[in-house]
Amino acid sequence: MSTKTVTVVENIMSANDRVAQENRNQLVEQGIFAINIMASPGAGKTSVILQTIKALSKHVRIGVIEGDTAPVTIDADKIIKAGMPAIQINTGGACHLDAPMVNTALKQMPLAEIDLLIIENVGNLICPAGFKLGSHANIVVASTPEGDDKPYKYPNIYRGIEVLIINKTDLLPYIEFDMDYFQKGVKMLNPDLVSFPMSCKTGEGVDQWSQWLLSRIRRTSGNE
Amino acid sequence: MSTKTVTVVENIMSANDRVAQENRNQLVEQGIFAINIMASPGAGKTSVILQTIKALSKHVRIGVIEGDTAPVTIDADKIIKAGMPAIQINTGGACHLDAPMVNTALKQMPLAEIDLLIIENVGNLICPAGFKLGSHANIVVASTPEGDDKPYKYPNIYRGIEVLIINKTDLLPYIEFDMDYFQKGVKMLNPDLVSFPMSCKTGEGVDQWSQWLLSRIRRTSGNE
């Protein structure tokens, strides 16, 4: 019984990974750099995306895939208002994006017209960690009011990422958040991680993050 | 194929519901009132539990089941330090508690010595909504810095609950949070919901919530 269950799960995972690889190939062919942004609900994924658009839209063309569990277009509307193409994936209650969902969205995205694809995953610090989408880099947006113990409690999501944005630094004077304890937890799980403290309200850290992203985009398109 | 998948899912759900009913029967037999607290990571579930213990420990005996995705005892240690029995469930990475996990934890809990059982679910605003545990009431702790659009984006979790705690009201002066818009979303999904604005930092709202809880505990033990 348990052997059979494991086999089924492995098949699902490898089917997902196969489509993730197809997505990646398609992105590479078009010279697009793609990031997958994951976070708890309300950590500020959409705010980070809007700041990124503001910082980079003069330099690169950006497209956004918005993952939502419900058929509301609150986030997609904000992206479109910022002048960028946005495709919404409604997961129908499911707790994460998977590679086939992104594959479907890619068919609707004007790929020839973008250099950077930003995928906003569903707000969830657990399930998205297990599903590759085909992006070049996985990013987590942490949020200071969530507390400094999150790396210790939700380790898996921190393990497979390249960049950590620590958002809402403007709230630090009003909350208890030990940055050293937080960073110690993060480094234990993922010593090579690049992290950017940020406030989407004051703009702190947006430049540093945007410069990192721009250099990665240029490296990708230079390889083509 | 799809019919088979649906059948499997239905079987899993009804197996869970059967064990949830067993859990409920066991709680009723012992005259225990049980609540299942759900929230995003870092919304303040453990802080609400600690405030509840502080407010009610003179009146009722409390036990806590702590759900965590990782083998860390950060939250359970806080409960034990507050003088209450705490049993930790490590879900091994899984994204929600289920009734069999709670059933196992109940076997380790000194049930004859408690009146109120608090179950702290895994931090996740999606998956816990689908799994009954056998508790008498489901509670969500929302957190103001998560933003006022959460009921619109994560509707399922708001549908099956009896009480909503709106935590971190002390941060309202520093963030954009439209309480009317938030409450409108909540009432649309769940018009009978009781809600308690709260700050675990200042103590605002703790009395109102504790009085509600105390009256429900007394009604349950009175029925026995």
Side-chain angles (χ1 to χ4, degrees):
Chain A
M1 274 290 275
S2 70
T3 312
K4 194 175 175 191
T5 309
V6 170
T7 310
V8 171
V9 171
E10 278 175 358
N11 287 347
I12 291 169
M13 292 306 288
S14 66
N16 183 77
D17 287 1
R18 212 162 41 238
V19 181
Q21 189 57 53
E22 273 177 37
N23 294 346
R24 172 74 73 91
N25 294 345
Q26 205 176 340
L27 294 165
V28 169
E29 263 173 41
Q30 303 274 350
I32 298 169
F33 183 72
I35 59 174
N36 167 27
I37 302 192
M38 302 177 286
S40 303
K45 295 184 295 301
T46 311
S47 300
V48 167
I49 294 171
L50 291 170
Q51 287 285 0
T52 307
I53 289 173
K54 210 167 130 190
L56 292 186
S57 60
K58 280 181 206 154
H59 309 286
V60 293
R61 300 163 305 168
I62 304 170
V64 180
I65 294 176
E66 280 294 337
D68 282 291
T69 65
V72 290
T73 56
I74 296 171
D75 292 341
D77 291 347
K78 287 180 187 166
I79 304 300
I80 290 166
K81 205 176 153 197
M84 297 294 153
I87 305 294
Q88 200 200 9
I89 300 174
N90 171 13
T91 68
C95 52
H96 60 86
L97 294 182
D98 62 26
M101 291 177 194
V102 171
N103 192 273
T104 303
L106 286 179
K107 291 185 174 57
Q108 300 166 59
M109 180 66 72
L111 295 179
E113 292 162 29
I114 65 172
D115 309 298
L116 169 65
L117 175 69
I118 304 178
I119 305 168
E120 180 174 345
N121 218 309
V122 170
N124 184 333
L125 218 47
I126 306 167
C127 314
F131 290 81
K132 290 182 188 172
L133 304 181
S135 59
H136 296 80
N138 290 323
I139 319 282
V140 158
V141 178
S143 159
T144 61
E146 287 171 17
D148 51 26
D149 57 2
K150 293 299 153 296
Y152 303 89
K153 288 185 176 174
Y154 302 86
N156 286 346
I157 200 121
Y158 286 90
R159 287 201 177 99
I161 60 172
E162 202 169 331
V163 174
L164 173 65
I165 291 172
I166 307 163
N167 194 25
K168 308 196 189 179
T169 53
D170 56 288
L171 292 177
L172 284 172
Y174 314 113
I175 58 176
E176 284 174 36
F177 185 93
D178 182 337
M179 188 64 86
D180 290 338
Y181 176 67
F182 179 80
Q183 287 281 18
K184 194 182 146 201
V186 170
K187 293 286 171 193
M188 203 170 61
L189 298 163
N190 191 335
D192 301 326
L193 194 70
V194 182
S195 74
F196 298 102
M198 192 182 291
S199 164
C200 291
K201 198 173 176 182
T202 68
E204 183 206 338
V206 173
D207 275 354
Q208 289 86 333
W209 149 249
S210 301
Q211 286 310 312
W212 178 91
L213 188 54
L214 193 57
S215 72
R216 287 297 305 268
I217 297 165
R218 289 188 169 150
R219 213 194 304 167
T220 301
S221 55
N223 284 344
E224 290 312 303
Chain B
M1 274 292 276
S2 72
T3 313
K4 194 174 176 192
T5 309
V6 169
T7 310
V8 171
V9 172
E10 277 176 358
N11 287 348
I12 291 169
M13 292 305 289
S14 65
N16 184 77
D17 286 2
R18 211 162 42 238
V19 181
Q21 189 57 53
E22 271 177 40
N23 293 348
R24 173 72 73 89
N25 294 346
Q26 206 177 340
L27 294 164
V28 168
E29 262 172 43
Q30 302 275 351
I32 297 170
F33 183 72
I35 59 175
N36 168 28
I37 303 192
M38 300 175 287
S40 302
K45 297 184 294 301
T46 311
S47 300
V48 167
I49 294 171
L50 290 171
Q51 286 285 0
T52 308
I53 289 174
K54 210 165 131 190
L56 292 185
S57 60
K58 280 182 205 152
H59 309 286
V60 293
R61 300 164 304 169
I62 303 170
V64 180
I65 293 176
E66 281 293 337
D68 282 290
T69 66
V72 289
T73 56
I74 296 172
D75 292 342
D77 290 348
K78 288 180 187 167
I79 305 301
I80 289 166
K81 203 175 154 196
M84 297 295 152
I87 305 294
Q88 200 199 8
I89 300 174
N90 171 13
T91 68
C95 52
H96 59 86
L97 293 182
D98 63 25
M101 291 177 195
V102 171
N103 192 274
T104 304
L106 286 178
K107 289 184 176 57
Q108 299 166 59
M109 180 65 72
L111 296 178
E113 292 162 30
I114 66 173
D115 309 298
L116 168 65
L117 175 69
I118 304 178
I119 304 168
E120 179 175 347
N121 217 310
V122 170
N124 184 332
L125 219 47
I126 307 168
C127 315
F131 289 81
K132 290 182 188 172
L133 304 181
S135 59
H136 295 80
N138 289 324
I139 321 282
V140 159
V141 178
S143 159
T144 61
E146 287 171 18
D148 51 26
D149 56 1
K150 292 300 153 294
Y152 302 90
K153 288 184 177 176
Y154 301 86
N156 286 347
I157 200 122
Y158 285 90
R159 286 200 177 100
I161 60 173
E162 200 168 333
V163 173
L164 173 65
I165 292 172
I166 307 165
N167 194 27
K168 307 195 189 181
T169 54
D170 55 287
L171 292 177
L172 283 172
Y174 314 113
I175 57 175
E176 283 175 35
F177 185 94
D178 181 338
M179 188 64 88
D180 290 339
Y181 176 67
F182 178 81
Q183 287 281 18
K184 194 181 147 201
V186 170
K187 293 286 172 193
M188 204 170 62
L189 298 163
N190 191 335
D192 300 326
L193 192 71
V194 182
S195 74
F196 297 102
M198 192 182 291
S199 165
C200 289
K201 196 170 177 184
T202 67
E204 184 206 336
V206 173
D207 275 356
Q208 289 85 332
W209 149 249
S210 301
Q211 287 310 311
W212 179 90
L213 187 55
L214 193 58
S215 74
R216 287 296 304 268
I217 298 164
R218 289 187 169 149
R219 213 194 303 167
T220 302
S221 55
N223 284 343
E224 292 310 305

